[in-house]
Amino acid sequence: MVHRRRRRRPPPPSGGLMAAALLGHCGAAASQACAEVAEQGCFDQEFSCERCCDTGALPVGDLSCWVGPVKFPTCCGLTRLRMAASQMLPAADHLDVPATCPPAAQSHCFDAYFPCERCCDTRRGPQGDMACWPDTTPFGLRTLSFAFCCGMLPFAADERLAW
């Protein structure tokens, strides 16, 4: 019997605009160090930030780290960047009928703040809600895309990063 360890609920992302990083003015990290935007309260010795947020093999980090409310976007800082990006984009509050998440969507791309129904909603634009796809390369993370997260394209083996 496999015993799953209960993880702490991640803290809500802290505020602060990171416009320079979103616009790509910072240099990418040379190693798989923990991203400066990561929420340190999500991690411990076994489930370290360096391990869990390493996007070298998968764009959403180490899948064994993400259980229940502990999600890649919140813990690795993507939600924080999405919140900053959403402040720079026009509001789409006029959408009355809720969207439906595509059946092939990658659940690890989303969290309570930016759910699949919001990010993959093409009424917000041809690539869904653009706030969901900020450039994370300045923080040493692979940038998630509408095509990957919303299930439009499969994960390709040639997208792996060299160790």
Side-chain angles (χ1 to χ4, degrees):
M1 178 176 178
V2 177
H3 188 95
R4 289 197 138 191
R5 188 178 137 189
R6 287 182 72 74
R7 299 292 311 267
R8 291 175 281 181
R9 182 177 184 102
S14 53
L17 289 179
M18 298 176 192
L22 291 172
L23 297 174
H25 294 285
C26 299
S31 65
Q32 281 297 318
C34 185
E36 63 188 61
V37 293
E39 297 292 340
Q40 295 302 315
C42 290
F43 309 105
D44 58 24
Q45 282 187 317
E46 182 181 355
F47 295 98
S48 69
C49 179
E50 292 79 6
R51 171 187 164 191
C52 294
C53 297
D54 181 354
T55 58
L58 287 173
V60 289
D62 184 343
L63 295 180
S64 68
C65 296
W66 315 128
V67 178
V70 180
K71 305 272 188 188
F72 171 82
T74 306
C75 291
C76 296
L78 180 58
T79 299
R80 184 184 293 186
L81 297 174
R82 286 173 170 173
M83 286 186 171
S86 71
Q87 297 299 312
M88 295 182 240
L89 296 171
D93 298 334
H94 63 281
L95 305 173
D96 293 330
V97 180
T100 303
C101 187
Q106 303 292 324
S107 64
H108 294 292
C109 292
F110 311 106
D111 62 16
Y113 302 100
F114 289 86
C116 176
E117 292 80 6
R118 173 183 177 168
C119 292
C120 298
D121 186 352
T122 54
R123 295 175 298 171
R124 295 174 181 264
Q127 298 291 307
D129 187 342
M130 291 306 295
C132 293
W133 325 120
D135 181 12
T136 56
T137 54
F139 301 100
L141 300 171
R142 287 167 62 183
T143 299
L144 296 179
S145 68
F146 172 82
F148 174 76
C149 291
C150 298
M152 305 303 168
L153 289 176
F155 174 68
D158 64 342
E159 291 181 14
R160 294 183 188 177
L161 299 177
W163 293 36

